[in-house]
Amino acid sequence: MLSPRQELLLRKVVEAYTETGLPVGSKTLAADPDIVAGPSTIRHELSSLEEQGLLAHPHTSAGRVPTDAGHRWYVDQLRSGSGTGLVPAGEKLGLQLIRREVDEAMRVTSETLSQVTNLLAIVSAPPIDTATVRHVEVLLLQPQVLMVVVITSTGGVTKRVFTFDKPVDPGLAAWAGQFLDERLAGVGLGARMLYSRLNDNSLTVRERGFLESLAPVFTELAETSEDTLYVDGAARLIGEHRVQDLTQINELMSMLERRATLLSLLRAALQEPDVLIRIGSENQAPALQTLAVVGAGYGLPTRKLGTVSVIGPVRMDYPRAIRSVREAAHELSRFIEDVYGS
């Protein structure tokens, strides 16, 4: 348990270090009008906080810096609301997602979130297998070339062009378009579900064979159900001396390319009732152990479908990061409810 004075000093150290990136000394703290204590008393309290593992003392400086545990204490106080003045109003994201396609909404969210927080922003889109088929068209482009267009409930559009050895019967193409649209409208994008709806014993051999030739468009649609990530702000993260170690930069860039580890971390945010915060060594991935992650899930009232998150230095502006991630998740949830409800 920390005394009220220790709590105040620890908060001041975290906030000063977040702003400057420099160790914070007792003289600096003694000059703060909120702190009623002399330099010797402050040094004693700082030593006590260091013994508790909340502050560290760099060898080259008389000042202290917060450890991962110190940042964790600060964040826990921030989230509990027990700290005074820890959650300033700040600027809003100002997301405008009305009447956008899902992929554009995800892209705009990641760009805006990165710009406002000055951090790496990552948005995972809803998996495509949560969507349904809204409309199917079969268009005869040339006598031997036709295109199948599939529009999903999330506004996604998939196109596939097929070339045949012989001219396609226009009547057959028109029939296929009507049949597919009627049979698949409202059906989920899982491969089994799609194929089961196309299995009709009343079809002629010719009709069944023609539909089978068009089946790859639905196979590819089902296979693209892996999560899609929208990433913005990588240059911000590795610039401005925020990530200085070359090995760490390489590991982080590799993780962004592989994405599997990152997706596993982001999925953890889906289980959180509010905001997921992982600080430094709390992250299992080596590339993130000197960074902090703030994330939240978004989606439907009954099910979260994706995540919004930011990644940055441990000394990030947590009030702004938490506030911005919450707002982005809220706005995306509103957007997704409109899309899936339409």
Side-chain angles (χ1 to χ4, degrees):
M1 295 293 293
L2 302 182
S3 68
R5 177 189 288 160
Q6 289 174 334
E7 289 186 351
L8 176 61
L9 287 171
L10 180 53
R11 176 162 66 87
K12 290 292 185 178
V13 171
V14 172
E15 290 175 345
Y17 181 67
T18 297
E19 183 177 354
T20 66
L22 300 174
V24 183
S26 57
K27 291 183 179 180
T28 299
L29 294 170
D32 192 310
D34 294 336
I35 299 175
V36 184
S40 60
T41 300
I42 292 174
R43 284 194 293 272
H44 173 74
E45 297 287 28
L46 294 180
S47 296
S48 177
L49 290 170
E50 186 176 350
E51 290 175 0
Q52 296 181 62
L54 298 170
L55 295 178
H57 195 168
H59 296 296
T60 58
S61 170
R64 264 82 169 183
V65 298
T67 62
D68 288 352
H71 282 290
R72 167 51 64 186
W73 175 90
Y74 178 82
V75 167
D76 289 343
Q77 294 291 303
L78 183 69
R79 297 178 70 180
S80 69
S82 58
T84 302
L86 288 183
V87 191
E91 63 180 301
K92 289 185 173 295
L93 287 176
L95 280 175
Q96 299 293 328
L97 302 179
I98 299 175
R99 287 190 285 275
R100 293 182 184 272
E101 298 292 346
V102 170
D103 59 346
E104 185 185 6
M106 303 296 129
R107 180 184 56 77
V108 169
T109 300
S110 63
E111 289 178 355
T112 305
L113 190 58
S114 177
Q115 290 169 3
V116 170
T117 62
N118 202 31
L119 301 169
L120 177 72
I122 303 174
V123 178
S124 67
I128 196 171
D129 58 7
T130 64
T132 59
V133 175
R134 176 173 290 173
H135 182 63
V136 180
E137 286 193 28
V138 178
L139 305 173
L140 192 58
L141 304 180
Q142 297 177 17
Q144 295 176 233
V145 180
L146 61 77
M147 179 171 63
V148 178
V149 180
V150 182
I151 303 175
T152 69
S153 60
T154 59
V157 179
T158 299
K159 302 176 182 178
R160 174 71 186 267
V161 175
F162 296 88
T163 301
F164 295 85
D165 296 334
K166 300 177 181 179
V168 177
D169 181 352
L172 184 62
W175 167 85
Q178 183 177 1
F179 178 86
L180 291 172
D181 189 51
E182 292 177 352
R183 281 300 181 93
L184 300 182
V187 176
L189 300 183
R192 287 186 179 180
M193 181 68 73
L194 290 172
Y195 282 127
S196 66
R197 295 302 293 269
L198 296 180
N199 187 15
D200 188 336
N201 294 328
S202 67
L203 298 179
T204 65
V205 174
R206 181 170 177 247
E207 291 170 341
R208 190 186 298 274
F210 188 64
L211 291 179
E212 289 178 355
S213 67
L214 305 181
V217 68
F218 302 107
T219 304
E220 293 171 2
L221 194 61
E223 290 175 350
T224 58
S225 61
E226 183 178 356
D227 301 74
T228 300
L229 294 181
Y230 296 81
V231 181
D232 195 88
R236 292 184 179 92
L237 187 60
I238 63 177
E240 303 177 6
H241 306 288
R242 306 179 92 187
V243 179
Q244 300 177 355
D245 183 77
L246 182 59
T247 301
Q248 184 189 12
I249 292 175
N250 289 335
E251 288 179 346
L252 181 61
M253 293 302 103
S254 177
M255 184 181 66
L256 289 175
E257 291 174 359
R258 294 195 308 269
R259 303 202 171 191
T261 302
L262 189 55
L263 281 168
S264 177
L265 169 63
L266 298 180
R267 288 192 185 100
L270 297 176
Q271 312 303 320
E272 291 290 320
D274 184 24
V275 177
L276 170 76
I277 303 174
R278 297 277 176 82
I279 300 173
S281 56
E282 296 174 355
N283 292 298
Q284 293 184 350
L288 295 175
Q289 289 186 352
T290 57
L291 299 171
V293 180
V294 178
Y298 71 86
L300 303 170
T302 57
R303 180 185 179 190
K304 292 181 180 179
L305 300 177
T307 59
V308 180
S309 59
V310 292
I311 296 176
V314 169
R315 66 177 189 91
M316 70 166 62
D317 183 343
Y318 288 100
R320 172 177 291 185
I322 294 170
R323 183 179 59 249
S324 299
V325 165
R326 276 179 178 155
E327 183 182 343
H330 175 71
E331 291 301 320
L332 273 178
S333 292
R334 291 177 54 187
F335 171 78
I336 288 296
E337 286 184 47
D338 289 341
V339 169
Y340 279 71
S342 60

